Amino acid sequence: MAKEEGLQLAGVVKEAFRDGFLVELEGGHIVTAYLGGKLRKNFIKVVEGDKVTVELSQYDLGKGRIIYRK
């Protein structure tokens, strides 16, 4: 059984917490997100105001994973 991919949307980081972020998506929705594995592994820093790509789960559209920083 193949792993299903989530929805990928662009957004802007509004607030940074110790272990996550609040990201405002293009449509105005705000979701909580965490850093994906490659970003953590390569020590990519994400701060407030950064434009990011967020992958949302199909099961919970209020949470996501940051997979790319622009």
Side-chain angles (χ1 to χ4, degrees):
M1 194 167 172
K3 183 176 180 181
E4 298 179 18
E5 294 188 20
L7 303 168
Q8 293 185 3
L9 300 169
V12 177
V13 176
K14 289 297 178 185
E15 193 170 345
F17 301 119
R18 183 177 58 86
D19 56 350
F21 301 91
L22 281 182
V23 178
E24 183 177 357
L25 302 176
E26 293 173 331
H29 292 32
I30 296 180
V31 297
T32 58
Y34 63 93
L35 286 179
K38 292 283 186 177
L39 293 175
R40 285 182 195 252
K41 179 181 173 185
N42 294 311
F43 301 105
I44 305 296
K45 301 296 181 198
V46 176
V47 295
E48 294 177 13
D50 282 349
K51 294 181 181 178
V52 295
T53 301
V54 178
E55 184 176 51
L56 296 178
S57 168
Q58 297 176 352
Y59 305 107
D60 186 4
L61 297 177
K63 295 181 182 176
R65 176 175 56 227
I66 296 174
I67 57 172
Y68 186 75
R69 181 187 66 144
K70 298 177 185 175

